[in-house]
Amino acid sequence: MIGAGTMGIGIAYVAAGAGYRVEVVETSPTCVDAARERLRVLWAGAVARGRMSEADASEAGTRIAWFNALAEVDDGPDVIVEAVPERLDLKRAVLAEAAGKHPALLGSNTSSIPIGSLGERVIGLHFFNPVWVMPLLEIVVADGTGPDLVDAARALATRLGKDPIVVRDMPGFATSRLGIALGLEAIRMVEDGVASAADIDKAMMLGYRHPMGPLELTDLVGLDVRLDIARTLRDAYGPRFEPPALLESLVEQGRLGRKTGHGFYEWRDGVRQ
């Protein structure tokens, strides 16, 4: 697992729970400390809810190892997944180095960047936040993706307890293209003073049976992540995906959602206030 941010830790948590030995590569000591604490909270919560025994949680914790650089990881892992920020140059560089480790399956957790632009034999493995709750795994195949990789990705999904869909490689794929359109319009409605963030979210939850409103979801995903996705889709599809000024302003202020404690909502200890 390359990257110990929100998505990387979620994937590592699920993979360790499924019996994989997980090697997490993260260059930032601060991120590693935060990731360790997040995993501790997740395991404690699973035990408290009766979903795991204390013994199982302890054993899952022993399956995760931490590395400062990909060079420290042994060659030939079953799966490598990158979950670094949504920047094409960064993902290309990370995946090129990862390919040198000769994994059986090399996946990117990108939610918007075309898989074909990321390197040969890379497949999209788009997980959803929070990974331990959301059952979907979006498998993204480029024109040259062989059926062996698709089969391997489906097998991974099954082992992780995910229900996969297979989509064609286009910017935004299926889920991000639809989800970001709703999220951006909700942000524009806040800009226009249509209603409060809480009432806009409530409208979608009660009126359309969404489990979570688009603005709370934006806080969970990260406003910076959504901004990166919007810019990628704007470049691909034109001005209908132009990021709202409010989104850009909040990101500039460092109000990135749950991970910073402030976004469209206030957050304390990971809980919306």
Side-chain angles (χ1 to χ4, degrees):
M1 189 68 239
I2 305 176
T6 299
M7 295 304 297
I9 283 307
I11 298 167
Y13 171 80
V14 170
Y20 278 108
R21 183 169 62 88
V22 184
E23 298 171 330
V24 181
V25 178
E26 174 55 61
T27 60
S28 166
T30 301
C31 286
V32 170
D33 290 342
R36 287 179 181 271
E37 174 61 16
R38 183 63 179 149
L39 286 169
R40 185 194 67 77
V41 170
L42 287 172
W43 281 313
V47 171
R49 292 190 296 273
R51 295 183 178 178
M52 295 180 76
S53 69
E54 289 189 8
D56 287 343
S58 178
E59 183 179 351
T62 66
R63 297 193 190 107
I64 296 183
W66 303 86
F67 296 88
N68 295 319
L70 187 58
E72 300 172 3
V73 176
D74 289 340
D75 286 351
D78 293 327
V79 185
I80 292 181
V81 182
E82 68 77 17
V84 301
E86 286 286 288
R87 297 198 300 272
L88 177 60
D89 57 344
L90 175 61
K91 286 188 180 289
R92 277 178 172 167
V94 166
L95 287 164
E97 184 180 2
K101 291 294 179 180
H102 308 293
L105 185 66
L106 178 58
S108 171
N109 186 55
T110 180
S111 53
S112 62
I113 297 173
I115 294 300
S117 69
L118 294 177
E120 295 183 4
R121 291 186 63 80
V122 176
I123 195 166
L125 298 175
H126 181 203
F127 292 84
F128 294 80
N129 186 34
V131 181
W132 53 92
V133 172
M134 302 297 281
L136 179 63
L137 176 59
E138 188 175 37
I139 298 170
V140 186
V141 298
D143 290 341
T145 302
D148 59 324
L149 295 184
V150 178
D151 290 344
R154 286 185 180 275
L156 173 66
T158 298
R159 179 163 175 178
L160 296 181
K162 301 302 178 186
D163 196 348
I165 62 172
V166 178
V167 303
R168 182 183 169 201
D169 182 21
M170 297 186 71
F173 318 133
T175 54
S176 291
R177 187 168 169 182
L178 287 170
I180 201 71
L182 180 61
L184 294 180
E185 192 59 29
I187 296 170
R188 293 188 188 100
M189 291 169 67
V190 175
E191 278 185 330
D192 293 342
V194 173
S196 67
D199 280 350
I200 292 169
D201 279 351
K202 186 177 181 179
M204 297 308 297
M205 294 169 67
L206 299 185
Y208 289 87
R209 300 183 69 108
H210 287 202
M212 180 184 299
L215 296 166
E216 183 176 0
L217 180 59
T218 296
D219 269 12
L220 286 177
V221 171
L223 276 69
D224 52 337
V225 174
R226 286 231 143 165
L227 179 57
D228 284 341
I229 295 170
R231 287 169 171 166
T232 296
L233 296 183
R234 175 198 60 196
D235 294 344
Y237 299 117
R240 70 182 187 270
F241 288 103
E242 186 68 37
L246 177 58
L247 177 59
E248 293 182 322
S249 175
L250 291 172
V251 172
E252 288 174 3
Q253 295 171 41
R255 296 178 63 96
L256 307 182
R258 185 174 66 174
K259 59 188 171 184
T260 61
H262 309 279
F264 288 99
Y265 298 94
E266 300 297 312
W267 298 82
R268 186 164 58 247
D269 297 327
V271 179
R272 196 190 100 182
Q273 304 301 304

